Amino acid sequence: MTPTELAALHEAYASDPHAFWLDQARRLDWERFPERSGDFSFDRADFHIRWYEDGVLNLSVNCLDRHLPQRADDTALVFEPDEPGAGRSVTYAELYADTCRFAHLLKERGVGKGDRVMIYMPMIPEAAAAMLACARIGAVHSVVFGGFSPESLAGRIDDCGARVVITADEGVRGGKRIPLKANVDAACDLSQGIDTVIVVTRTGGDIAMREGRDLRWEDHQDRLANDCPAEPMAAEDPLFILYTSGSTGKPKGVVHTTGGYAVWAATTFAWVFEPKPDDLFWCTADIGWITGHSYTLYGPLMAGTPTVMFDGVPTYPDASRLWETIDRLGVTILYTAPTAIRALMREGDEPVRKHNRQSLRLLGTVGEPINPEAWRWYHDVVGDGRLAIVDTWWQTETGGVLMTPLPGATSMKPGSACQPLPGIEPLLVDAEGREITGNDVSGNLCLRGSWPGQMRTVWGDPQRFIDTYFTTYPGLYFTGDGCRRDEDGDYWITGRVDDVINVSGHRIGTAEVESALVAHPLVAEAAVVAAPHDLKGQGIHAFVTLNAGEQGGDHIVRELHAEVRKHIGALAIPERIQFAPGLPKTRSGKIMRRILRKIAEGQLDQLGDTSTLADPGVVDALVRNR
Ligand code: PRX
């Protein structure tokens, strides 16, 4: 984007927000174009968020049907499996046909508008078709990342009341098989109400099939019609639920609705990546995360930009996987996470340099703050110093990117998300909720007003939505992030200020890990904090107190790992488990996490005043056992 184009967008928003937001909606095909744009109030008494309320559309039409007249045989998706080069391309016509077939199968099983469907799948083209099929018939999809345990999947099934799960026999990642169908079976035993499991064959591995409940996709695919009318959806009809960790309790079902989400995914994809006709876009995020929803699938599909679905890991079979794949497929835009960049940086420049990467024209990063060293390596080595980097800050809750430098219009700074997109109004507030004005300041990051991609509610718990995001600072959306605005007015996200840990770009709630740990019969108490980690950004440091008379040791550590794997998934296993005779508490019994954080960070000279603790002696013991 040129500076003039960007200035014109800011000016258009400032002079007439309503016209500005309707203009963005013109990127989509609507059955009925909206006359209304945003209508929202963050006041408790009259809380509501609505966008394009009178509009009618279908997202699958915007991803598929709109491309069929001119480009039916063009590539929509490039499937790149774990084994390099063993993939295939899928055209818009093919993806359309599979989407319609899935839609029919779901309908045959009684799924209709508003019903919830769980998707627990590898990154295969059928997963895209399954999501699009839900959108086509107005069912609400809830994708659960394949790394989550059966128990996590069961919790989500119960929370949203799904009746159907779509899965695969097994996943394959980094050469290892993941027993997806077996996990679904276990989840069904732990939850209520699943009457249909649709299984796509990925590996052909041995799986159990339950008569009457389980269907093989391949047994039905050929008999199902490859055409299916799209359900006309009101803009505010729910599109999907995505569960994400918060600072308290169980994961929240973040609800996104059809019109606003689609407009924001399409608009941000257009602004940030400026797609060109010969692009091949590669976002490495799994569809189990919001990045996979907005930028692996929906954003590029709406734009008609072919998108890579990568079912592997960046380090398999070796550290040049990404660069080899980029050359082989001709990828033009790479959008990945700082944790992957750091892992590959550690392998040195040679695995990168032996591939030419000439097809690349833009790099992107998302998910956590990128340290300047990793940014420079990404820029200088991966990008040969010739490519811009979009460091995009956003959240599951925001639906799409909110802050990023825009190539051509914004100058980049290593580690800074720089500036808000047009229509987005960030502000920093202090602990008392007063706005901090001026530059060269730090505070808690809030947003004033709404934007189309904002989440609408927490599934089944609207009060929790208000309490979590709109109560700390009344009238504002609180992001949970700390942030600095530098002397030029550019924003630097400093990380979460709540009890959420960002491990390799994945959000883990401390409360969830703690409750998994205390599920072990020998554990009396557990407290979990973040500790800096070279590759993961943050690692999980758990302080665990065992029942009186019990001794910690490797054996218990292994059992505690198993406990976390069972209740949440391997992604939440603590980096470090430190056994402690007691935890630092105030006299009223509150655990002083601030002290635990400093111990985990090794900042032992910054423990602060410990004299108010019920038993100051426990701190010495914790420091001694570090
Ligand atoms: O702390 C911020 C961090 O990731 C959080 C959102 O996590 P999640 O909802 O899982 O969404 C991840 C993908 C959008 C934010 O609150 N975060 C995300 N992107 C960045 C970031 N921190 C710094 N820089 C970023 N570019």
Side-chain angles (χ1 to χ4, degrees):
M1 204 180 286
T2 65
T4 319
E5 286 165 338
L6 180 58
L9 284 173
H10 283 299
E11 165 56 27
Y13 174 67
S15 64
D16 188 347
H18 173 69
F20 170 84
W21 288 121
L22 286 185
D23 265 353
Q24 308 318 319
R26 283 181 231 288
R27 293 174 205 281
L28 304 188
D29 293 339
W30 298 77
E31 210 157 296
R32 185 165 80 224
F33 190 79
E35 286 176 17
R36 298 191 209 158
S37 56
D39 171 7
F40 50 88
S41 158
F42 299 163
D43 286 347
R44 253 167 193 271
D46 175 34
F47 187 93
H48 65 274
I49 303 172
R50 296 191 276 265
W51 281 90
Y52 309 117
E53 202 191 347
D54 54 330
V56 177
L57 77 167
N58 185 290
L59 178 55
S60 79
V61 169
N62 279 279
C63 291
L64 299 169
D65 308 44
R66 70 175 349 186
H67 306 305
L68 295 180
Q70 310 288 330
R71 308 185 42 205
D73 298 326
D74 287 2
T75 300
L77 298 176
V78 179
F79 170 48
E80 174 68 15
D82 202 44
E83 281 310 316
R88 62 193 157 97
S89 294
V90 178
T91 65
Y92 289 102
E94 290 164 341
L95 188 58
Y96 174 83
D98 262 355
T99 297
C100 291
R101 293 183 184 117
F102 261 113
H104 285 298
L105 191 54
L106 288 170
K107 285 208 241 181
E108 283 180 7
R109 301 298 289 194
V111 177
K113 187 169 174 170
D115 292 338
R116 277 78 60 208
V117 173
M118 308 305 290
I119 296 181
Y120 185 70
M121 293 181 86
M123 289 287 285
I124 55 180
E126 290 83 353
M131 290 168 74
L132 288 160
C134 291
R136 193 153 192 95
I137 64 172
V140 179
H141 60 65
S142 184
V143 185
V144 176
F145 176 59
F148 281 112
S149 67
E151 194 172 305
S152 291
L153 176 59
R156 287 152 168 79
I157 289 171
D158 283 337
D159 187 79
C160 73
R163 282 183 28 239
V164 176
V165 185
I166 308 176
T167 189
D169 49 2
E170 295 176 305
V172 195
R173 281 221 161 166
K176 292 197 210 79
R177 294 195 174 197
I178 303 147
L180 295 174
K181 173 60 166 63
N183 287 353
V184 169
D185 290 341
C188 289
D189 291 343
L190 294 168
S191 65
Q192 304 289 313
I194 293 296
D195 61 29
T196 299
V197 177
I198 302 172
V199 187
V200 176
T201 302
R202 168 72 179 88
T203 64
D206 241 359
I207 52 167
M209 293 291 284
R210 181 179 296 184
E211 187 74 38
R213 186 193 68 183
D214 301 350
L215 322 169
R216 289 249 186 206
W217 166 240
E218 291 74 17
D219 292 345
H220 296 266
Q221 199 180 2
D222 292 341
R223 70 171 177 83
L224 295 161
N226 57 9
D227 205 1
C228 173
E231 187 73 29
M233 302 297 286
E236 280 299 328
D237 283 336
L239 174 68
F240 65 84
I241 304 170
L242 195 53
Y243 285 86
T244 188
S245 294
S247 42
T248 53
K250 56 181 186 143
K252 299 183 278 282
V254 168
V255 175
H256 282 287
T257 56
T258 311
Y261 171 80
V263 169
W264 195 237
T267 300
T268 52
F269 186 75
W271 285 346
V272 178
F273 300 109
E274 297 187 281
K276 314 261 183 289
D278 53 358
D279 269 335
L280 176 58
F281 183 78
W282 186 8
C283 166
T284 60
D286 190 281
I287 50 161
W289 313 108
I290 189 74
T291 311
H293 282 55
S294 302
Y295 302 111
T296 306
L297 275 194
Y298 289 132
L301 286 176
M302 282 189 278
T305 302
T307 180
V308 177
M309 275 186 95
F310 178 45
D311 200 23
V313 293
T315 45
Y316 178 85
D318 58 42
S320 44
R321 176 61 190 269
L322 295 188
W323 329 120
E324 180 273 324
T325 305
I326 286 168
D327 281 3
R328 174 162 42 77
L329 300 179
V331 171
T332 59
I333 304 174
L334 176 69
Y335 188 35
T336 193
T339 188
I341 298 166
R342 287 190 296 265
L344 297 172
M345 177 170 78
R346 195 174 65 164
E347 305 291 332
D349 300 357
E350 200 268 340
V352 188
R353 303 243 193 244
K354 71 181 192 206
H355 299 282
N356 75 46
R357 293 157 283 110
Q358 284 308 303
S359 56
L360 285 174
R361 69 167 182 82
L362 179 62
L363 301 173
T365 156
V366 57
E368 49 170 323
I370 181 163
N371 46 313
E373 191 196 358
W375 192 98
R376 287 205 184 84
W377 185 80
Y378 199 29
H379 183 263
D380 296 348
V381 179
V382 175
D384 289 320
R386 72 185 171 92
L387 303 177
I389 297 177
V390 288
D391 176 354
T392 61
W393 172 83
W394 58 294
Q395 311 178 296
T396 306
E397 293 89 336
T398 72
V401 175
L402 295 194
M403 288 204 231
T404 178
L406 290 171
T410 326
S411 50
M412 302 180 289
K413 289 180 184 173
S416 170
C418 291
Q419 288 291 316
L421 290 174
I424 302 304
E425 301 182 42
L427 68 157
L428 303 183
V429 295
D430 65 16
E432 279 70 49
R434 283 181 304 243
E435 179 169 1
I436 304 170
T437 53
N439 287 342
D440 203 5
V441 291
S442 295
N444 291 336
L445 179 63
C446 291
L447 295 156
R448 188 176 277 127
S450 183
W451 62 97
Q454 182 169 34
M455 75 181 277
R456 296 299 193 266
T457 191
V458 171
W459 182 264
D461 198 351
Q463 192 58 44
R464 188 172 174 198
F465 180 48
I466 300 172
D467 292 346
T468 307
Y469 301 101
F470 300 94
T471 303
T472 323
Y473 305 113
L476 300 173
Y477 167 81
F478 174 43
T479 63
D481 280 332
C483 183
R484 184 165 82 84
R485 188 165 53 225
D486 71 12
E487 49 294 345
D488 303 322
D490 283 321
Y491 290 84
W492 300 70
I493 309 297
T494 49
R496 304 290 304 194
V497 293
D498 54 5
D499 289 320
V500 169
I501 304 183
N502 193 327
V503 182
S504 302
H506 301 151
R507 263 162 83 163
I508 315 273
T510 53
E512 280 174 80
V513 182
E514 287 164 6
S515 64
L517 293 170
V518 297
H520 190 286
L522 297 186
V523 172
E525 208 169 26
V528 157
V529 298
H533 188 281
D534 283 351
L535 290 183
K536 301 179 174 184
Q538 292 188 317
I540 299 174
H541 188 124
F543 295 87
V544 171
T545 308
L546 298 176
N547 293 338
E550 299 295 342
Q551 286 289 319
D554 288 352
H555 167 68
I556 298 204
V557 167
R558 275 194 299 277
E559 287 182 12
L560 292 176
H561 286 181
E563 209 69 62
V564 175
R565 185 180 291 116
K566 170 172 161 235
H567 293 291
I568 308 173
L571 72 177
I573 290 178
E575 225 45 63
R576 172 86 208 279
I577 292 181
Q578 180 178 347
F579 294 104
L583 298 176
K585 289 185 189 164
T586 60
R587 294 201 184 98
S588 59
K590 199 170 159 298
I591 295 175
M592 296 283 283
R593 288 165 187 284
R594 179 180 58 75
I595 294 177
L596 293 177
R597 265 185 226 118
K598 293 292 175 197
I599 294 173
E601 287 165 10
Q603 299 185 331
L604 304 179
D605 53 341
Q606 292 177 31
L607 297 181
D609 182 11
T610 55
S611 64
T612 57
L613 294 177
D615 175 6
V618 298
V619 174
D620 297 335
L622 288 171
V623 169
R624 240 180 292 119
N625 296 340
R626 252 194 102 245

